[in-house]
Amino acid sequence: FNSEIHGMHYGEFANYTEYFIDALDRGIPYSPGLEEGVETICVMEALRRSATTGAPIRLEPLYREAGLL
């Protein structure tokens, strides 16, 4: 993809999407998996909450809320 037109992040997203679709089509494992993606979202949410409150946020409750534990 032409990252000069859409920006570098667009190109990275497009490449990851192409990789993911190819793996699904071929029936092969892909990485990162869904669980790792949900863990990343939990970390981002903890960062957001911490920035809002100024307090550290434990990840375990977020992982439980997301069904990871």
Side-chain angles (χ1 to χ4, degrees), residues 14-35:
N15 289 337
Y16 285 128
T17 302
E18 184 177 351
Y19 159 77
F20 178 70
I21 291 170
D22 182 55
L24 290 177
D25 282 346
R26 295 172 49 201
I28 60 174
Y30 52 88
S31 178
L34 178 60
E35 185 172 326

Side-chain angles (χ1 to χ4, degrees), residues 24-63:
L24 290 177
D25 282 346
R26 295 172 49 201
I28 60 174
Y30 52 88
S31 178
L34 178 60
E35 185 172 326
E36 187 176 345
V38 173
E39 289 173 354
T40 300
I41 297 298
C42 289
V43 170
M44 292 170 56
E45 176 60 15
L47 289 169
R48 186 193 70 76
R49 291 181 187 187
S50 181
T52 300
T53 65
I57 304 296
R58 296 185 53 81
L59 288 171
E60 185 176 331
L62 294 173
Y63 290 158

